[in-house]
Amino acid sequence: MRALYLAIDGGNSKTDVLLGDESGQILGFVRGGTSSPHNVGLPGAVAVLGQLIRAVHADAGLPLGAPIEAVAAYLSGADLPIEVARLEHAIAAENWARRTIVDNDCFAMLRAGTAMPDAVTVVCGAGTNCVGRAADGRTARFLALGPITGDWGGGHDLADHALREAARGEDGRGRPTALSRAVADHFGLPTVEAVSIALHFGDLPMERIHELSPVLFEVAATGDEVASALVERQAAEILAQYRVAAGRLDLLGGPHALVLGGGVLRARHPQLHDQVVAGALALSPHVEVSVLDAPPVAGAALLALDALGLSAAAEAALRAEIAARPPALARLTEPVPD
């Protein structure tokens, strides 16, 4: 009988669940909303996963009672050891599989990006995070709880700072910057002051500030010193995370991988990307830098296959199937109702 597994990548905005077998074949795939316990609580996270697991069985044409060898769940919000332990206990209690594996979603991104046993990933999306692993099983991670743990950067932070610098540049408290004109134009208003007033009174939703991250990179690409300084600070933060994680694992002196993930890094903005690559090579000439080009749920699937002790041929087959059918891994499948 073939061995089946469930792979879960649960983020702040979406959750992907894949059902596969020991050969690397993808039997079912579904996508739903957030399952981060920081957003929906622990019971809510388990409920979301339960809906999606029922849906992925239906997508694969398998009954819910079909034996599953392992469920590998990599979730945003699994930051502290106690959070990982609570999630693992709650998921194991659902008896979705004979074996339950739970950890932070960054480890799924790391495995999706490389098969090298010594590796670090820095994720820069809405926020930022970093994890590393060594061939001997040691890991490195940060608390990644936002400003209270010293975090800086990611699309939301960059957007907030772009608006702040645009306002200060316009009213004279800061250096003149093309961000002022670009921010006002983005929202179709005459000045940044008008943008700020519209945000204050709710005429513009505060969430729209997040739209300014791409605007920042566009302005920086023109050579604007203020915008460029923010991009340089982001590059320095990414490199600091890499340096510390790789240093803790004693990786800097030998071959290892650095996987760059998250929307900001996957966009490959030249001004940011080139600084990060050059900075990483300056820290270690042995590093192999890559940008994640596979969905993180692929990493969760590969980690499930690793845990089951399955062959390298299964990894090659899984990667080939994912590469050949990206539309299948991008469609939205609604969870089946309770």
Side-chain angles (χ1 to χ4, degrees), residues 86-139:
R86 287 171 176 170
L87 276 163
E88 186 169 6
H89 178 77
I91 292 172
E94 298 296 317
N95 295 312
W96 290 324
R98 293 191 174 101
R99 180 178 179 184
T100 299
I101 306 159
V102 176
D103 214 325
N104 187 270
D105 59 338
C106 287
F107 285 102
M109 295 187 190
L110 181 58
R111 185 64 179 89
T114 183
M116 291 183 70
D118 293 319
V120 173
T121 186
V122 179
V123 180
C124 187
T128 184
N129 201 354
C130 173
V131 301
R133 66 159 188 254
D136 60 12
R138 289 177 299 139
T139 62

Side-chain angles (χ1 to χ4, degrees), residues 19-172:
L19 196 157
D21 71 10
E22 61 191 357
S23 72
Q25 182 181 4
I26 298 171
L27 305 177
F29 173 82
V30 297
R31 173 172 291 174
T34 179
S35 57
S36 170
H38 287 180
N39 295 336
V40 296
L42 181 57
V46 173
V48 169
L49 297 182
Q51 288 183 322
L52 290 170
I53 285 170
R54 290 192 290 276
V56 81
H57 277 79
D59 192 55
L62 292 172
L64 275 176
I68 304 293
E69 293 300 318
V71 52
Y74 290 85
L75 305 176
S76 173
D79 295 306
L80 303 176
I82 191 170
E83 292 173 321
V84 174
R86 287 171 176 170
L87 276 163
E88 186 169 6
H89 178 77
I91 292 172
E94 298 296 317
N95 295 312
W96 290 324
R98 293 191 174 101
R99 180 178 179 184
T100 299
I101 306 159
V102 176
D103 214 325
N104 187 270
D105 59 338
C106 287
F107 285 102
M109 295 187 190
L110 181 58
R111 185 64 179 89
T114 183
M116 291 183 70
D118 293 319
V120 173
T121 186
V122 179
V123 180
C124 187
T128 184
N129 201 354
C130 173
V131 301
R133 66 159 188 254
D136 60 12
R138 289 177 299 139
T139 62
R141 65 178 80 201
F142 297 87
L143 290 179
L145 300 177
I148 63 171
T149 52
D151 303 346
W152 190 93
H156 291 179
D157 244 3
L158 290 171
D160 288 342
H161 282 282
L163 177 58
R164 186 174 294 122
E165 294 292 350
R168 293 174 64 84
E170 182 178 88
D171 67 20

Side-chain angles (χ1 to χ4, degrees), residues 183-337:
V183 166
D185 288 348
H186 177 79
F187 292 113
L189 293 171
T191 62
V192 183
E193 181 179 282
V195 171
S196 302
I197 292 170
L199 289 165
H200 175 69
F201 284 113
D203 298 321
L204 282 176
M206 287 290 185
E207 292 76 15
R208 290 202 61 193
I209 295 174
H210 303 159
E211 299 172 12
L212 294 177
S213 179
V215 174
L216 168 67
F217 284 100
E218 290 170 5
V219 173
T222 70
D224 182 86
E225 291 183 359
V226 173
S228 293
L230 288 173
V231 175
E232 289 167 9
R233 182 178 177 184
Q234 181 65 86
E237 180 68 18
I238 290 164
L239 290 168
Q241 291 180 84
Y242 160 61
R243 172 182 54 80
V244 172
R248 287 176 181 172
L249 298 174
D250 306 310
L251 301 184
L252 293 172
H256 62 283
L258 170 59
V259 178
L260 305 175
V264 172
L265 285 169
R266 291 183 70 178
R268 295 176 184 258
H269 300 288
Q271 198 168 356
L272 177 63
H273 180 79
D274 294 348
Q275 288 185 66
V276 170
V277 173
L281 288 169
L283 288 166
S284 174
H286 310 286
V287 67
E288 295 183 14
V289 184
S290 64
V291 178
L292 185 65
D293 61 358
V297 72
L302 291 169
L303 287 164
L305 291 170
D306 292 344
L308 294 175
L310 300 176
S311 70
E315 174 168 350
L318 177 68
R319 288 190 182 275
E321 185 166 353
I322 286 174
R325 50 181 270 180
L329 290 178
R331 74 180 190 274
L332 176 64
T333 303
E334 294 293 339
V336 295

